[in-house]
Amino acid sequence: LTLCVPCDSIARAVGADDVAVALVREAERRQLSLDLRRTSSRGLYWLEPLVELETSEGRLGFGPVAPEDVPALLDALQGDAAAHPLALGLVEQLPYLKSQQRLLFARAGITRPLSLEDYRAQGGFEGLAKAVESSGEAIVASVLESGLRGRGGAAFPAGIKWRTVREAQAEQKYVVCNADEGDSGTFADRMLMEGDPFLLIEGMAIAGLAVGATQGYIYVRSEYPQSVETLRAALDIARAAGYLGVNVAGSGRAFDLEVRVGAGAYICGEETALLDSLEGKRGVVRAKPPLPALQGLFGLPTLVHNVLTLASVPVILARGAQFYRDFGMGRSLGTMPFQLAGNIRHGGLVERAFGLTLRELVEEYGGGTASGRPLKAAQVGGPLGAWVPPSQFDTPLDYEAFAAMGAMLGHGGVVVADDSLDMAHMARFALQFCAEESCGKCTPCRIGSTRGVEVVDRLLAAPSQAERQEQVILLKDLCDTLTYGSLCALGGMTSYPVASALKHFPADFGLETTEAD
Ligand code: NAI
C-alpha cells in the first residue's frame, strides 16, 4: 500500500503529521506493509490533510482526513476505497486541479521535497542542463524572449534586469532571491520553497551562469522556519550532487548559495532594504538609482528577484521561450500562481495563464465566501492592494487591466471578504499598517501614515456630511502625497486600499457620496 501525506506547513497545521502517525500505527497493528510518503501539497488547502493512494489509474484522494478517520480509511483501502465517505476520486481529475495550468507548481503534491530522484523524474534539472550548454548571452535572450516579468509584484521585464546585470563590469556579482513573502493572503513562495526547493535552486544556478555571478543568497522571512530548514537541507543535497559549487553541473563554472533569515520586518521585502539587511544592517530603503542591478549587495551588481520569478526560469530553458509565452495575454505572459485566502470556501493555489477573470477565480475556484454571506470585495495584491468590488470581478487578471482600474495584481494574493467587513476599518488598518512597518526614511510614509489614521478617525467621528467631506478632501490629498512622495512602494501603495475603499464603499465611511473633489 503506497500512501502520500503532505508535509507542507499548512497541511501540518491542520493535522497532517497526526494523520501520518495514525496511518503508520494502524498499518503496523494490522501487519499491513505501508509505504508512506511525505510529499509536498497540491495546494488544495481546504482538503488538507489530503491523503492520496497510489493506484494503477493514478492517485485516489481522501480528505480532509482526521486521525480518528484512519481505521475506517484503512478498512476501505483494503476493500472498496471509492466507497469511503471522504473519497474524492482521482486527484488529478478534480476540476480545481484539472483546469489549472501548472508550470511552476507542476510537481506540487506529487514529489517528495528533498528527493533528487523524484525531482529528476519529473523534469528536474533539464533547464540547468540546457543552460550549461548555452552561453550567458543566449540564456538572457531566452528569458527576454519568454516575456517573463518580475513576480514579486512590480512586473518589470526580467530579461532586461538580467541583461543589465550581465553587462555590468565587476569582479563579483550576486543573485539574491527575495523570499520575504510578507503580503497578506500570499503563500506561493512558501509552498514552493517547502515543496519544491530544487526548482528554486535550479533557477538561481541558471541565473548565476547567465549573469556571471558566483554567489547567491536566499533571504527568507523568519516566519517561514520550514522553508529555511528545507532549503538548507536541499542546498546540501544539491551541492553533494554537483549542482552547486565550483563546477555547476559540469559547466566548469562556479555558483553557490546560502540561506539568510530575516527578522520579521515587512519592509525587508523591499529589495534595497533587503540588501541592507543582508549586509547586516538595519533594513532601511535606499534611494534608486543606483539600481541594485548595477550597485546592489555590497555595492556590486546584483540580480534581485522574487522566488516565483527565479523558479519560472527552468521551464523556460527546458521547454523554450515560445512555449512559455504561449500562455497569457497582452504583455502578461506565462502563468501566475494566484493564492486564494480570507473568507473563501476553497482556499488554495490556482496556477493559470494570465487572463482568467477575478470572478472565475473567486467564484468558480474559490466557491464564494466561507461564511456563505454575499461577497463584498476582494483585496488583490497584498495589504497595499486595492479592494475590488464584485462589479469589477469580470476584469481579466492581467497587469495592465488591473492598473487601468487603479488596482494591481502584485504577488497574486487574493483575500476575499463578505458583506460583514467594514471598509472604513480596512482603510484605517492600511494606514496603521504603513505607520507600523515604515522604515522611517521618508516623510510621507513615516508621518503621513500616522496623520492618515487620524484623518480617518476624524472622518468617522464627524457629525455632519459637510464635515465628513472636508476630511475626505484631506484624505485624498494625503493619498496623493503618499503615492507621489514616498521613497518606495510601502508608502507609495498605501493609498490603493484607502482610495479604493473610499471610492467603492462610501457608505462604510458614513458618506452619501464621495464627490468631494
Ligand atoms: P520597481 O518598479 O521599483 O522595480 C521593480 C524591479 O525592477 C526592481 O528589482 C528594480 O530594481 C528593477 N528595475 C527597475 N528599472 C530597471 C532597469 N531599468 N534596469 C534593471 N532593473 C530595473 O518596484 P519595487 O519597488 O521593486 O516593487 C514594488 C512592488 O512590490 C509592488 O508593485 C508590489 O506589488 C510588490 N510588493 C510585493 C510584496 C510581496 O510580499 N511579494 C510586498 C509588498 C509589495
Side-chain angles (χ1 to χ4, degrees), residues 493-516:
M493 291 180 0
T494 297
S495 54
Y496 277 84
V498 179
S500 57
L502 204 53
K503 179 172 175 197
H504 301 298
F505 306 99
D508 287 7
F509 295 82
L511 295 163
E512 281 156 14
T513 156
T514 53
E515 297 311 305

Side-chain angles (χ1 to χ4, degrees), residues 62-87:
F62 302 86
V65 177
E68 47 280 16
D69 296 324
V70 164
L73 182 64
L74 281 181
D75 286 344
L77 297 187
Q78 290 177 286
D80 184 4
H84 190 275
L86 295 176

Side-chain angles (χ1 to χ4, degrees), residues 375-397:
L375 264 170
K376 181 157 186 175
Q379 189 177 33
V380 184
L384 309 178
W387 286 100
V388 181
S391 60
Q392 293 182 332
F393 270 28
D394 292 314
T395 311
L397 292 152

Side-chain angles (χ1 to χ4, degrees), residues 100-105 148 151 308 312 315 324 327-328 332-338 351-354 399:
Q100 295 197 31
Q101 293 158 304
R102 289 196 164 178
L103 301 184
L104 262 168
F105 285 88
L148 176 68
R151 297 284 189 257
L308 303 178
S312 296
V315 75
Y324 192 77
F327 293 89
S332 303
L333 300 175
T335 60
M336 181 77 192
F338 296 101
E351 182 178 353
R352 282 275 304 260
F354 291 93
Y399 291 118

